[in-house]
C-alpha cells in the first residue's frame, strides 16, 4: 500500500495539475483505498507509514487540510514515526491550507478566514522553527 501511494504521489507530481488530471488522480486514490479489505482497513489506516504516504498524496492533490489531518494521525499512531522531511511538508501543507482558506473565504465558528489563516500560519512557522532547532544545520 505504501509503495502504491508513493507511486501515485510521483505520478501526481509529474502529471498535469489541470482539474481533469487531479480528478483522475483522486479517483485512483479512492480505488486504491477501496482495494483494502474491509476487515483490515482500520488497521491499515492506523499505520504511520500508510498514513504518512496517504497524507503526502493528499498534499500533492492540493487537499492541504486533509493532508494535515492524515499526517497528524500518523504522528498519533502507535509508532509515531514520520520522517523529518514529512514533518516539514506537514507544516508547509498547514500554511497552504491557510492560503486556501483565505482564497475561499471560509469561516468557522464566527472567526474570520483571515484570523483562522493567521493561526494556521503561526502554527506552521512554529513547527518549522521546532524542526530547525533539532539540528545545527
Amino acid at each position: 500500500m505504501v509503495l502504491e501511494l508513493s507511486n501515485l504521489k510521483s505520478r501526481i507530481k509529474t502529471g498535469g495539475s489541470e482539474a481533469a488530471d487531479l480528478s483522475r488522480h483522486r479517483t485512483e486514490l479512492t480505488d486504491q483505498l477501496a482495494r483494502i479489505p474491509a476487515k483490515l482497513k482500520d488497521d491499515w489506516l492506523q499505520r504511520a507509514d500508510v498514513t504518512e504516504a496517504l497524507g503526502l498524496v493528499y498534499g500533492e492533490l492540493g487537499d492541504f487540510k486533509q493532508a494535515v489531518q492524515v499526517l497528524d494521525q500518523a504522528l498519533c499512531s502507535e509508532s509515531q514515526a514520520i520522517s523529518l522531511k514529512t514533518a516539514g511538508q506537514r507544516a508547509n501543507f498547514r500554511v497552504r491550507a491557510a492560503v486556501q482558506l483565505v482564497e475561499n473565504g471560509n469561516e468557522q465558528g464566527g472567526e474570520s478566514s483571515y484570523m483562522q489563516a493567521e493561526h494556521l500560519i503561526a502554527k506552521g512557522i512554529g513547527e518549522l522553527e521546532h524542526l530547525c532547532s533539532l539540528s545545527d544545520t
Side-chain angles (χ1 to χ4, degrees):
M1 173 57 82
V2 173
L3 182 58
E4 287 182 26
L5 290 170
S6 180
N7 288 339
L8 175 58
K9 181 185 80 160
S10 295
R11 286 192 299 278
I12 295 167
K13 280 179 123 172
T14 58
S17 60
E18 299 294 320
D21 295 323
L22 293 176
S23 177
R24 180 173 39 87
H25 292 308
R26 282 187 182 91
T27 299
E28 196 175 340
L29 175 59
T30 301
D31 292 346
Q32 282 185 10
L33 294 175
R35 285 196 300 270
I36 302 172
K39 62 183 176 182
L40 300 176
K41 193 168 197 163
D42 286 342
D43 290 339
W44 273 92
L45 295 178
Q46 294 300 317
R47 291 179 47 157
D49 58 343
V50 173
T51 51
E52 178 179 7
L54 182 58
L56 293 174
V57 168
Y58 280 126
E60 289 301 325
L61 288 170
D63 296 336
F64 303 120
K65 184 177 179 182
Q66 182 71 22
V68 171
Q69 289 173 345
V70 172
L71 291 172
D72 284 349
Q73 185 178 338
L75 280 172
C76 294
S77 71
E78 208 169 283
S79 65
Q80 298 177 336
I82 66 171
S83 71
L84 286 177
K85 180 179 178 182
T86 298
Q89 273 299 98
R90 178 174 157 259
N92 178 351
F93 293 155
R94 190 179 304 282
V95 171
R96 292 171 76 180
V99 171
Q100 283 181 338
L101 185 67
V102 171
E103 287 175 345
N104 297 334
N106 295 332
E107 294 186 19
Q108 296 175 352
E111 188 177 18
S112 77
S113 57
Y114 289 103
M115 290 178 71
Q116 292 173 43
E118 185 178 321
H119 172 75
L120 289 172
I121 291 169
K123 192 169 184 175
I125 290 170
E127 290 171 1
L128 290 173
E129 288 173 341
H130 177 70
L131 290 174
C132 288
S133 73
L134 298 175
S135 174
D136 292 336
T137 58

